[in-house]
Amino acid sequence: MGVISNNASKEASVLTRANHFIDGTWVPSESTETIEVTDAGRGEVMATVPSGTTADVDKAVAAARAAFDAWAGLDVAERVGYLKLAAEELARRQNAIAAVICREVGTPYATSNVVQVGLPQMTLSATAEIALDYRYTERIYNSLVVKKPIGVVAAITPWNYPLHQLVAKVAPALAAGCTIVAKPSEVAPLNAFALAEIFETIGLPRGVFNLVTGYGTTVGEAMVAHAGVDMVTFTGSTAAGRRIGAVAADTIKRVALELGGKSPLIALDDADPVAVATASAGACYLNSGQTCIALTRLIVPAARKAEYEAIAKAAAESVVVGDPFDPTSVIGPLVSDVQRDRVRAMITSGIDEGATLLTGGVEAPDGLDAGYYVRPTVFTDTTPDMRIVKEEIFGPVLVLQTYETEDEAIALANDSVYGLNAGVYSADVDRAIAVGLRLDSGQVQINDGAFNIHAPFGGVKQSGNGRELGVAGLEDFLETTALQLP
Ligand code: NAD
């Protein structure tokens, strides 16, 4: 097993992780193939992890199945006791894990600390309370309706908020009484090893949480297709979600999908442009734009186009891009060269399709040639058919769209295959809420309304079909049986 730094410094050595975590112990992979994990800020290999196989998945599923009856049979209070211990242990390791994510994802250290590690701690604790309060049985006329754990859960997660996304699945699944096989993103898997170590440290019963690393097309699909898996919970791209739905169909297992987005922020004509632009820059550029709920389309009144252009440009130019360990950096690099190149290609397509580049562009920010940095970018003079308006870019790129009427603003916002997040700004909160209710979106931020881990989180349309967090997040992992009583 490897070692995680106990401070926020950079480490020069390459960490080798050779084992999966299966049945409560560290098991060598069936394959000697490995996957390199890069330090996003430096563009160098920082670790290797196993490129797992179908045989590794079989072992992990067998362990999860064997552990299921005993785990499901525990009292919920005993199960959530482990979640509380995990939250405490995560808090003890907070700085070390934040440093790991700072390197493997490129999120600035302070943000890593608060969001990448702080949020999962809160989710563990909140889920414990929710699961304790939940009513698992209900009398409906002559029926006793019982909510039971669905079984063995395959959890497949992305790299952008990797520990948050993993914990948002693992915490409620464990609380519900499910056992888990988790596959983190091959791009940023190190934090998942840290979570497995936490479960090992707190003495979670063997087989209840299993970790297999590898590629989506091998390990991921083997998990999805496996007859021993009862449910797949997936966060990632819409393309992968579509494939997962198709593969899972053979075994008719439950599939919960949390997918991509292209989320709009509507500035109503009475909104304060400075407040909108500040919020928009925060919501678009957080984590270098690699945020599924990023508000990447700023929809503004045509009459105030020039004003919004000027302040959106200024807001983007005020975002300090730099080394994620430098406390002055607001955003760091993108996660990988692949992601940086994708984002640059999208910026090029915006220019080629005739949008006006207000600021940013394809060149690396000054002095940041190593690592995967991209300038905060703003486009205007866009049309709804442009790729930069329609497609998820997953980088620090904001596009401005203009409207003449409120109905047109709503139509532009809803003109997307996605529906994960949206925002509405107005001087009149009731007016913003009325517009928010007309948006096809799983979440709508009204003015500066904050992200809430107690509220259900998920998307509509091609942004997905599941709901994580809060009570709905627990219910995703429960199966319903009705006993008809005499
Ligand atoms: P991705 O779809 O490439 O990968 C996500 C995970 O799925 C990885 O673990 C990957 O190995 C696995 N995977 C890929 N193909 C698979 C397959 N055929 N079968 C099984 N598993 C497979 O996504 P990414 O690049 O890691 O993450 C970015 C995407 O995730 C963006 O589209 C973003 O919007 C989305 N996302 C959504 C949410 C949400 O809650 N809705 C949150 C974060 C990220």
Side-chain angles (χ1 to χ4, degrees):
M1 261 180 296
V3 176
I4 290 173
S5 166
N6 279 323
N7 56 47
S9 70
K10 301 176 189 177
E11 289 170 49
S13 59
V14 174
L15 173 72
T16 303
R17 292 277 193 179
N19 300 323
H20 305 294
F21 186 68
I22 297 175
D23 204 18
T25 185
W26 294 92
V27 179
S29 179
E30 291 290 331
S31 163
T32 53
E33 301 282 307
T34 59
I35 299 172
E36 291 182 338
V37 182
T38 53
D39 179 321
R42 294 201 278 182
E44 294 167 359
V45 176
M46 65 180 284
T48 61
V49 300
S51 177
T53 65
T54 304
D56 293 319
V57 172
D58 288 343
K59 274 193 225 169
V61 173
R65 281 243 76 88
F68 176 71
D69 285 348
W71 180 250
L74 289 183
D75 192 81
V76 66
E78 287 180 81
R79 289 198 299 266
V80 306
Y82 289 102
L83 296 190
K84 292 176 181 171
L85 288 175
E88 288 164 17
E89 195 57 35
L90 184 54
R92 271 193 279 281
R93 300 176 188 215
Q94 176 146 2
N95 292 349
I97 298 175
V100 167
I101 297 176
C102 184
R103 295 183 69 198
E104 65 178 341
V105 178
T107 312
Y109 180 70
T111 312
S112 278
N113 222 299
V114 175
V115 180
Q116 298 279 22
V117 190
L119 208 51
Q121 270 174 53
M122 287 162 57
T123 300
L124 282 162
S125 303
T127 305
E129 298 310 321
I130 287 165
L132 277 176
D133 288 347
Y134 192 75
R135 280 178 60 195
Y136 296 87
T137 58
E138 189 185 358
R139 183 78 192 244
I140 301 178
Y141 294 94
N142 69 314
S143 299
L144 184 65
V145 177
V146 183
K147 300 287 174 70
K148 299 193 284 194
I150 191 162
V152 172
V153 170
I156 302 176
T157 49
W159 46 261
N160 58 330
Y161 292 93
L163 191 60
H164 162 67
Q165 281 132 1
L166 191 53
V167 168
K169 299 175 185 317
V170 167
L174 291 183
C178 298
T179 56
I180 296 163
V181 178
K183 191 204 87 63
S185 166
E186 61 278 18
V187 180
L190 301 178
N191 60 88
F193 284 87
L195 184 66
E197 285 174 349
I198 286 171
F199 287 138
E200 187 183 25
T201 301
I202 66 167
L204 188 74
R206 50 188 277 209
V208 169
F209 174 84
N210 305 275
L211 175 74
V212 178
T213 55
Y215 290 109
T217 43
T218 49
V219 170
E221 287 202 20
M223 289 161 67
V224 175
H226 208 293
V229 168
D230 301 296
M231 172 180 174
V232 177
T233 170
F234 171 76
T235 299
S237 61
T238 296
R242 193 173 288 121
R243 171 76 186 144
I244 284 168
V247 172
D250 267 352
T251 44
I252 319 284
K253 49 176 65 88
R254 184 182 297 176
V255 180
L257 301 172
E258 303 289 342
L259 309 175
K262 185 72 184 178
S263 301
L265 171 54
I266 298 177
L268 293 178
D269 55 12
D270 60 353
D272 169 13
V274 174
V276 171
T278 309
S280 164
C284 179
Y285 300 132
L286 177 69
N287 207 22
S288 301
Q290 301 164 121
T291 301
C292 53
I293 56 171
L295 298 170
T296 52
R297 295 188 289 137
L298 180 55
I299 301 176
V300 304
R304 303 184 77 169
K305 177 172 179 265
E307 190 182 354
Y308 272 103
E309 285 173 347
I311 53 178
K313 177 175 185 292
E317 289 172 355
S318 73
V319 173
V320 179
V321 188
D323 183 314
F325 282 93
D326 181 338
T328 64
S329 300
V330 176
I331 65 171
L334 272 68
V335 73
S336 65
D337 53 352
V338 172
Q339 190 63 20
R340 178 200 54 198
D341 294 348
R342 263 190 213 139
V343 172
R344 285 183 177 168
M346 286 300 291
I347 293 173
T348 302
S349 98
I351 296 166
D352 291 347
E353 287 188 294
T356 303
L357 182 70
L358 278 178
T359 188
V362 291
E363 298 80 19
D366 296 339
L368 293 171
D369 296 319
Y372 313 125
Y373 296 92
V374 174
R375 293 169 188 264
T377 295
V378 183
F379 279 106
T380 188
D381 302 321
T382 62
T383 54
D385 57 331
M386 290 179 178
R387 287 186 64 203
I388 53 169
V389 176
K390 291 167 73 154
E391 296 180 26
E392 182 179 51
I393 299 177
F394 230 53
V397 182
L398 180 71
V399 297
L400 264 63
Q401 298 179 266
T402 57
Y403 67 86
E404 300 288 347
T405 64
E406 197 171 287
D407 282 349
E408 194 192 343
I410 292 165
L412 281 172
N414 287 338
D415 181 19
S416 174
V417 295
Y418 297 113
L420 185 56
N421 193 24
V424 186
Y425 260 74
S426 170
D428 176 350
V429 172
D430 291 337
R431 189 178 165 210
I433 291 172
V435 170
L437 287 170
R438 295 176 62 194
L439 300 180
D440 305 332
S441 178
Q443 283 72 227
V444 182
Q445 177 186 327
I446 303 297
N447 288 345
D448 59 357
F451 182 76
N452 173 10
I453 61 156
H454 299 277
F457 176 88
V460 302
K461 300 195 278 188
Q462 293 186 25
S463 288
N465 59 13
R467 286 295 178 273
E468 297 196 317
L469 304 175
V471 174
L474 176 70
E475 288 176 329
D476 250 14
F477 296 98
L478 295 171
E479 192 54 282
T480 307
T481 299
L483 301 175
Q484 285 22 304
L485 304 180

